[in-house]
Amino acid sequence: MIYASNTKGNNFLSRFVNFPFAFSLLGITGWIFYFFVESIILIIVKTEYNINITPVLLTSSMYIILEALFSFTLSFFIMDSLHRNRILPRYFPQGELSRIKGTINPSIKLLFITLYISVVLFPLVYLLSTLLTIILNNNLKLDKNIIITFGIIVISGIFIFVIFSDYFDCPLKRLQKGVEQIKNGNLHSKVRIITNDSFGVLADTFNEMSSSIEEKTQKIYQIQNSIITGMATMVESRDNSTGGHIKRTSECVKLFISEIKKNDEFKNLPDYFCADVIKAAPMHDLGKIAVDDSILRKPGKFTDEEYEKMKKHSEEGVKIIENVLSEVDDNNFKTIAINIAHYHHEKYNGQGYPDKLKGSEIPLEARIMALADVFDALVSKRCYKDTFSYDKAFSIIQESLGSHFDPKLGKIFIDSREKFEMLYSRI
């Protein structure tokens, strides 16, 4: 009654689920209380009648331990069997008990302890208590060899218990860790259990499932990337002056990322970040779909008013990407794609647009995209300009370090000149 009282909501549910374990522990508490009361009574009797209560206390303690072990194991297995076979399936047909806050999740080791108590400690304590009763009641001398023998048996049993509990506990922990990694998005997760028993079969099945999930996820990503690239190409087809810009800047970003990773300052960039920047690069100008054709297709330089309208494409790009990726679970990718579209025209000195961010206020992915975007614009023919030579393009970038571009990233870009020239000779 005390255990079940004053509970509601999740607290009640957790206590309901934990009932077998709690019931078993409460049973042990009862025996401990019984022994405490008995000890007090014997101490009172000793003071009144001056009798030796040591044999009685020793024998009683052994029987109390015996009864406590018996109560714990028997009540746990009975209640747990009812719980898992009858009660819990009825009230929690969908399972998911681990999601209830406050529930006890007995490990394999705990179950092995219970089993060990039942099949090893219980009979040993029973034999020892019986032996002590006979010896004490007949005033016999306690044989040290018997005690040593019992001690060896108990220690050996504990040693065997530890070995066998790890034998089962370790594979399950590996499988649980693998499941958690998949749940957290690591689709490459594999469990290494090389045995021909049930754990080995389970691990092989898990690894096959992981590979299948990864393969299907990659196909989904490929479809998603194709849709994104297709949308970007459709937007680009409306622009007379930037033919091939999407493909070139995407390849440029891919190469740039690989060079950035070689630099000591950026070598710890997460792999997911690098992959997401490459994947998001084609989306940097999606906002141009909202720009009027009369401006986007104008065969010449913009007036100030037209330029202000063109600048809106960065903010429009954010709206489009948020809409297109609204159902995508990968929040890291969504953030990077939005940042690239929104801020790739910001300048390191704070004179860019749309928010005049400066320095490290500009997201790293946008600073990377800015270099690739401007470089392609410089070395490509536009309706308002001819193609610049590589010498002139890299000279402009060099002069713009610290003003337009991040100086550290810009230096890496310039140092990689030969590779960028080779890339542009192929595309």
Side-chain angles (χ1 to χ4, degrees), residues 287-299:
K288 286 185 177 180
I289 199 170
V291 178
D292 190 86
D293 276 351
S294 62
I295 297 173
L296 192 65
R297 302 174 71 89
K298 182 180 179 180

Side-chain angles (χ1 to χ4, degrees), residues 187-188 213-223:
L187 303 181
H188 304 286
I213 292 173
E214 184 178 7
E215 181 182 347
K216 290 177 180 177
T217 303
Q218 287 302 320
K219 288 182 179 178
I220 292 172
Y221 283 155
Q222 288 171 7
I223 294 170

Side-chain angles (χ1 to χ4, degrees), residues 137-149:
N137 288 341
N138 293 282
N139 295 319
L140 299 176
K141 188 176 181 180
L142 192 62
D143 192 342
K144 291 183 179 179
N145 292 328
I146 295 176
I147 296 177
I148 292 172
T149 302

Side-chain angles (χ1 to χ4, degrees), residues 232-233 235-249 284-285 288 296-297 302 310 373 376-377 380-384:
T233 303
V235 173
E236 186 179 60
S237 68
R238 297 177 56 232
D239 189 343
N240 286 335
S241 64
T242 60
H245 177 69
I246 297 298
K247 180 181 178 181
R248 291 193 302 273
T249 52
H284 72 279
D285 274 341
K288 286 185 177 180
L296 192 65
R297 302 174 71 89
F302 300 129
M310 174 60 84
D373 189 39
D376 184 73
S380 302
K381 182 178 175 58
R382 298 291 172 87
C383 62
Y384 54 85

Side-chain angles (χ1 to χ4, degrees), residues 356-416:
K356 296 191 178 299
L357 302 181
K358 62 180 179 180
S360 60
E361 294 176 351
I362 308 169
L364 177 60
E365 52 268 33
R367 284 178 270 154
I368 292 171
M369 189 71 230
L371 277 155
D373 189 39
V374 171
F375 175 72
D376 184 73
L378 292 172
V379 299
S380 302
K381 182 178 175 58
R382 298 291 172 87
C383 62
Y384 54 85
K385 62 171 278 295
D386 289 327
T387 301
F388 287 174
S389 68
Y390 291 124
D391 286 338
K392 186 171 183 179
F394 279 101
S395 176
I396 291 172
I397 291 174
Q398 177 70 58
E399 292 169 1
S400 302
L401 297 186
S403 56
H404 191 152
F405 306 115
D406 181 322
K408 293 178 181 177
L409 291 175
K411 185 177 185 306
I412 297 172
F413 195 93
I414 292 170
D415 289 343
S416 307

